[in-house]
Amino acid sequence: MKKIIAIIRPNKLEDVKQALEEIGCNGITVKDVKGRGRQLGITESYRGRDYKVDLLPKTEIEIVTKDEEVEDIVKSIVKTGQTGNIGDGKIFISTVEEVVRIRTGERGDKAI
Amino acid sequence: MKKIIAIIRPNKLEDVKQALEEIGCNGITVKDVKGRGRQLGITESYRGRDYKVDLLPKTEIEIVTKDEEVEDIVKSIVKTGQTGNIGDGKIFISTVEEVVRIRTGERGDKAI
Amino acid sequence: MKKIIAIIRPNKLEDVKQALEEIGCNGITVKDVKGRGRQLGITESYRGRDYKVDLLPKTEIEIVTKDEEVEDIVKSIVKTGQTGNIGDGKIFISTVEEVVRIRTGERGDKAI
Amino acid sequence: MDLVLNSGDTAWMLISTALVILMTIPGLALFYGGLIRRENVLNTIFLSFVAFAIVSILWFIYGYDLAFGHNIYGFIGTLSNPFFNNVVESNALSTYAPTIPEGLYAVFEMTFAAITVALISGAVVERMKFTAWLAFIPVWLTLVYIPVAHWMWGGGWLAQMGALDFAGGTVVHLNCGMAALALVLLMGVRKNTKLLPHHLGYSILGTGLLWFGWFGFNAGSALGATNLAVSAMIVTNSAAAMGMLTWMLMDKLKTGKPTLLGALSGAIAGLACITPAAGYVNFTASLIIGFAGSFFAYYAVSSLKSRLGYDDALDVFGIHGVCGIVGTIGAGIFATTAINSAIKGGLLYGNPAQLGIQLLAILSIGAYSLIMTLIIGKVIDKTIGLRVEEEQEISGLDITLHEESGYRLS
Amino acid sequence: MDLVLNSGDTAWMLISTALVILMTIPGLALFYGGLIRRENVLNTIFLSFVAFAIVSILWFIYGYDLAFGHNIYGFIGTLSNPFFNNVVESNALSTYAPTIPEGLYAVFEMTFAAITVALISGAVVERMKFTAWLAFIPVWLTLVYIPVAHWMWGGGWLAQMGALDFAGGTVVHLNCGMAALALVLLMGVRKNTKLLPHHLGYSILGTGLLWFGWFGFNAGSALGATNLAVSAMIVTNSAAAMGMLTWMLMDKLKTGKPTLLGALSGAIAGLACITPAAGYVNFTASLIIGFAGSFFAYYAVSSLKSRLGYDDALDVFGIHGVCGIVGTIGAGIFATTAINSAIKGGLLYGNPAQLGIQLLAILSIGAYSLIMTLIIGKVIDKTIGLRVEEEQEISGLDITLHEESGYRLS
Amino acid sequence: MDLVLNSGDTAWMLISTALVILMTIPGLALFYGGLIRRENVLNTIFLSFVAFAIVSILWFIYGYDLAFGHNIYGFIGTLSNPFFNNVVESNALSTYAPTIPEGLYAVFEMTFAAITVALISGAVVERMKFTAWLAFIPVWLTLVYIPVAHWMWGGGWLAQMGALDFAGGTVVHLNCGMAALALVLLMGVRKNTKLLPHHLGYSILGTGLLWFGWFGFNAGSALGATNLAVSAMIVTNSAAAMGMLTWMLMDKLKTGKPTLLGALSGAIAGLACITPAAGYVNFTASLIIGFAGSFFAYYAVSSLKSRLGYDDALDVFGIHGVCGIVGTIGAGIFATTAINSAIKGGLLYGNPAQLGIQLLAILSIGAYSLIMTLIIGKVIDKTIGLRVEEEQEISGLDITLHEESGYRLS
Ligand SMILES: Nc1ncnc2c1ncn2[C@@H]1O[C@H](COP(=O)(O)OP(=O)(O)O)[C@@H](O)[C@H]1O
Ligand SMILES: Nc1ncnc2c1ncn2[C@@H]1O[C@H](COP(=O)(O)OP(=O)(O)O)[C@@H](O)[C@H]1O
Ligand SMILES: Nc1ncnc2c1ncn2[C@@H]1O[C@H](COP(=O)(O)OP(=O)(O)O)[C@@H](O)[C@H]1O
């Protein structure tokens, strides 16, 4: 089983969520995060002074899924999350050894 | 060493935290997240219109621990976090290669 | 590729961020979390009663990087994040199998 | 009898003036600010503040004279004291309210002009260019508000016909509602039209301050500390209460649960619709008017808007426009000489003609405001542009237009 | 001397009325709303708003007459003008305050009734059914508030005995405190009784608005713009300040650090306990009363409550009930004819009997309110049910009862 | 003519007093509270609340007499009625305002003392020991505020020379600005001096309440419901509006975008600088004064501060100090007998000497405040210590000094 962590633009969340739903990926966990990458920060100004804010709001989506579904999910996220501008974000994939459904205690693939 | 990520109901946090303390698991990191799974969303209504909110508030607990303690921790979370209704959440277990304690620079098991 | 998760004191974020920038590590994702470890909680009091708050605010930094850069990053975090007092936090390192840049669809090391 | 300044009337009008100012800044600003997306909170609030500031200045440069100065053909007043020159200095009492200084009447009326402009902003939030708004304020004030105020309150043709608008059902509420409608027709629909309030606490506070300030608005419109002011205060409060309970009931019937935003919206509806009638009707009538205003506003907001498809973001037309109409008709029905001996009474009290005059006022002011605002909006659209870039709308206006953010809570 | 309307007195009472309304909506609503869990913020605030709306209407339908109408056997007034029919129209001045219109006295008194009901809600938040609260409001208003107000202020038996309650130590504070106690005894303890305020900013603002509004409450109770109103304003302010400093000191002594919530609570305690005495005592006495009120409230809140185990969520009994008692006794001790020539003075000024009358007022009103509220609460519990489902209590009342959420900040 | 209480004047002064109280608690407290780091929000707000409470009490024990009592050598008043003994009881009217009770004049003046102290706190937030602040309040009130108020308003030497300060350009704004400067010079720079407001909503609300309350401050300083009060209200509002628009323009020119915090800051600047001139100048002059105040404050805040390197956290000197000076000079230039017949007029109206007197007032009060505050601050630093531990500054003062936190939103 794999864990997919996708960092996307906050205003792409609705689209990505819907795209995932369409390919049958329902279980997701979402976090508000802030990020820095190649994207330049933004400037805020208060009382005549500029302040550089380099951590920009991003949304992180965490999905644990079966190995065979990873590719579809990644493609779907890339497709809907892309604007082509710097700041679109990243996807990280790693291995998960065990999944447990708290409600039933089920484990493994069927707990996803 | 393993990383346990448990997504639970926010109102179960107190109980789970206490249960973990009882089995000697003190080091935990907690995040406010939102999640979607089998659980139906909730409806909010403003000025006569209904809006479907499908991401519900959840709490994510991150615990890094020794391999041999994983089972106890998982059991403890399942036991205290369970209500039996859809939405109780999931536990994901994966491998961590190295742990460093920032205060001392210690590494490995003794840094946990 | 590795994922480094560092849990640090919120007021050390500025320093750590800058130190990482200096060693060329620009891509980071930051989360507000709460944590418990060896550090004692704090007490809050309202209307003559004391309440123990054991989850303290922490900041989690997530960095995905090439294997060879891990050591430098860890050292840099330990150096700047350390105060020597309990509560300085932990660093967890694990393996990431794939990285995808959403903007371009690039994969692997060059997507980092 | 010699006219002398009455210090009690003056005290009441001083505080009434301050109360109406509080309604706009920060009352209305916060009410609106709580309802939109977090990324637009500062811009939304800014629209009200800057409207207030600009009107504050222009009103004394020329606005008051054009609205309330010597009447020219029933359409507009004369500019006799530009920059309010020599008005305060002359120690004159107001011809409209002969127990208080003229300056006091002028500043009290200023607050009505300011809130009317600010109210419009609720419709265009989350997508209007800030510069376009800055341009809109003086033009609309001059070409729409001032003439309309003159017709109704400054001795203009509607006043001469005996149209009743105690505190602004047509001049304020209908007027801003139609202008809001005109602007949103020109600007089109936002990318995200969901009404998911980001911070209802602001709107709760805003409603509280509006309700409080409305006593200055309505009971202040008695222009003195009189029994009429008392009467206006009582019916203002009961119509608001009735409006609140009515909306709660509608919520219960339609979506199953009474909502707090609904209760607040109903209270505003009740307050808006009693406004034109506040100095003419009794307690029982205020319950009926409050009920009707809230009832029709509920339908306008929950059904009409989605059916017609315009994007009146915070329901300026749906609540203020609709309630301005309901209340103005209500005044034509329930007005009674037992409450206010200076009028002829309404339909129920043997004067059906009043209802006709009220309808005429609604039609003429409504049409004038709609058409003029369409023209003004179109001109601004062609020159400055009404709407922000799509990218700015998505990222939010606070950061893109003002380089500020509303919250730094973590 | 002919009685004529005094415009200065009328101006002061108009604004005083508006000030007391501001105390409830949004003052008290926000004060309470900041102290509870985030998931209940809207419901908590809603309880005050809806109480205000319902009382606003019922008061003029029959409440005012029953409380202040022609006295029947010292127990209740007569309903002579249902729906406030012909009161405003008659241009009559108030028999209770012969320089202001009767309508103004009526609406001023309405604000007291409304806040008393709203105050009770602080005890039952986070667990009371909304429908049960809707039912409770009119019943309690009618069966408890109105008779008690009549006894003390409407010429009833306590008034006839010369009991002193300038602005509501018994009628408002003790009354709501005992009712709160009765309800929480019936409803039991919440699953989570920790007082961990979710947003103190609301409570800070609420306290500011309460303090501000309290000048209308206390100095307004002089019923005119007189030297007595000035005196009441001064002692109201100093008792609040003293209450604040006292609580800070207690905090320092007991938990080691002065807290801001403590300071706010102390200020409210000071304000509550000077209320019955505000028109009778001098500056020095106000310091003593403010100190005593805050001191006893601190103990009630921090020790008594946990020892007795009732769950008075926001300390309505602990602060308002206790301070109502302290202040009513204080009036019996420190009242002086040098401040108010219409009374006989208290213990310190050679009239020990006054203290006995004060104690009688406390006992009778306290007992009446407790017992009647127990009965009313029991009946509602058996019919509608007082308490929400456990699942609703856990998930929070905003989403489960109103389908709304207070914050959408991310 | 016999002096009798005028109920209209009394009504206006009662509400004006309440309005100025609202400015401090919660107006100023929230304005400041929104601008700092989240971890210090409660402590910042607490500083204003506790200053208000302490001044409230001391003012009536001895403050009023020392400031406004019988004049001794032009420097200080006599303590004739400690604990306000027998003032209210005597039913006396004020010698300063012979149509209102003396108690009312005293409590009105109290509100000025309180806000002046609270204003200072804006400079020292995020790093001052709470105990040091508690000690500072009574000492500074007694040694600085009271003498200065006496010189200017209590018949002292500046009053005798004919210096003009209608509502506190020198006594309040310059005074608090210089004291702020003195304290920050002693305390040094914070570890983090970035002005990144954590919750602008509080500052928006605070500004709204300040603006509203300022009508009590300035128009209330007419001491009655008169045409002069009306004039002061008009120019107060227009100067605020002009200040707001000016700052927006400067923002636009300097950083490219108008900001809401800038607009609020400009409004406060406009309000502060019209304060000393509010009862002396006409509408046109108010625009010039509002513009100048905002313009100079903008430079002080955005350039001067960083160039000189002092850490005046929330720009108490930069806004209040600077605007106090600008407005006091403005009064010397634009004051006219056409608005206020009790004065001689300023430079533009043929009385250049007035400008000299104004400059003398600025210099003497500015220097006195700076030097005395340096001494007081130094003594407190040596005894109690002015500054918190570094660890407390980093962790935030709410949790370390008060064991509370401002938000529990998740
Ligand atoms: N190496 C990394 N580790 C963790 N997070 C990263 C990394 N690189 C980028 N991110 C996250 O992705 C977001 C977008 O990255 P950025 O470099 O701006 O865009 P792009 O991927 O289009 O080049 C960042 O704000 C950050 O949250
Ligand atoms: N595959 C998944 N990947 C990531 N998070 C998940 C996944 N499935 C469920 N979750 C998280 O667990 C929460 C509960 O899941 P849900 O399906 O509603 O309950 P249950 O586990 O009882 O069937 C979701 O809200 C979501 O946060
Ligand atoms: N085993 C663990 N798993 C997850 N998070 C941990 C663990 N141990 C510590 N943490 C995180 O690190 C933070 C600091 O840990 P603590 O034990 O207080 O300090 P130290 O590392 O100096 O002993 C905690 O607040 C928690 O967020």
Side-chain angles (χ1 to χ4, degrees), chain A residues 37-54:
Chain A
R38 302 198 181 179
Q39 194 179 9
L40 290 174
I42 50 174
T43 301
E44 299 196 11
S45 47
Y46 296 100
R47 286 200 175 151
R49 301 234 201 120
D50 284 341
Y51 299 95
K52 190 97 192 164
V53 177
D54 61 353

Side-chain angles (χ1 to χ4, degrees), chain E residues 83-106:
Chain E
F83 283 83
F84 217 56
N85 211 354
N86 220 25
V87 179
V88 170
E89 290 87 334
S90 74
N91 272 304
L93 300 180
S94 168
T95 50
Y96 294 91
T99 60
I100 65 170
E102 177 163 11
L104 184 50
Y105 183 75

Side-chain angles (χ1 to χ4, degrees), chain F residues 106-123:
Chain F
V107 68
F108 182 64
E109 287 299 334
M110 175 205 87
T111 65
F112 284 68
I115 199 169
T116 306
V117 181
L119 275 164
I120 299 170
S121 71

Side-chain angles (χ1 to χ4, degrees), chain F residues 66-68 71 74-76 96 105 109 144-172 174-175 276 280 324 328-329 331 354 357-366:
Chain F
L66 294 190
F68 293 93
N71 177 37
F75 185 75
I76 197 83
Y96 295 91
Y105 183 74
E109 287 299 334
V144 184
Y145 184 85
I146 288 176
V148 165
H150 183 78
W151 303 348
M152 186 57 94
W153 291 336
W157 65 275
L158 283 167
Q160 289 163 19
M161 291 183 65
L164 296 180
D165 185 359
F166 192 68
T170 54
V171 180
V172 175
L174 172 61
N175 198 1
Y280 309 127
T328 304
I329 293 173
Q354 189 65 51
I357 301 173
Q358 297 301 97
L359 290 172
L360 179 66
I362 290 168
L363 281 177
S364 53
I365 291 181

Side-chain angles (χ1 to χ4, degrees), chain D residues 241-252:
Chain D
M242 193 66 190
M244 186 197 285
L245 297 174
T246 303
W247 199 298
M248 284 170 61
L249 183 71
M250 304 292 288
D251 258 349
K252 176 80 192 156

Side-chain angles (χ1 to χ4, degrees), chain A residues 13 17 26-31 60-62, chain B residues 7-8 10 32-42 53-60 87 89:
Chain A
L13 176 60
K17 222 174 55 186
N26 284 311
I28 64 175
T29 298
V30 174
K31 302 169 199 179
E60 185 174 303
I61 305 180
E62 182 177 42
Chain B
I7 296 156
I8 61 170
D32 295 312
V33 301
K34 281 178 267 178
R36 187 177 79 176
R38 304 200 180 177
Q39 194 178 9
L40 291 174
I42 50 173
V53 178
D54 62 352
L55 289 175
L56 302 184
K58 297 282 166 188
T59 296
E60 184 174 303

Side-chain angles (χ1 to χ4, degrees), chain E residues 301-387:
Chain E
V301 161
S302 69
S303 309
L304 190 69
K305 182 163 82 159
S306 51
R307 222 167 316 139
L308 298 188
Y310 58 89
D311 181 17
D312 178 6
L314 303 179
D315 299 310
V316 180
F317 173 73
I319 294 183
H320 297 277
V322 167
C323 289
I325 295 172
V326 171
T328 304
I329 294 173
I333 297 173
F334 297 105
T336 162
T337 52
I339 294 289
N340 190 328
S341 58
I343 60 164
K344 295 208 192 108
L347 178 66
L348 281 193
Y349 298 87
N351 182 20
Q354 189 65 50
L355 194 55
I357 300 174
Q358 298 301 96
L359 290 173
L360 180 66
I362 291 168
L363 280 178
S364 53
I365 291 180
Y368 181 78
S369 177
L370 183 74
I371 293 166
M372 285 301 291
T373 311
L374 280 172
I375 297 171
I376 295 168
K378 198 76 200 171
V379 171
I380 293 178
D381 200 21
K382 291 291 172 201
T383 48
I384 300 174
L386 282 174
R387 196 157 170 170

Side-chain angles (χ1 to χ4, degrees), chain B residues 27-29 62 64 101 103, chain C residues 35-39 87-90:
Chain B
I28 65 174
T29 298
E62 182 177 41
V64 171
R101 165 170 289 131
R103 170 164 52 96
Chain C
R36 187 177 80 176
R38 301 198 182 177
Q39 194 178 8
D88 280 354
K90 305 272 164 88

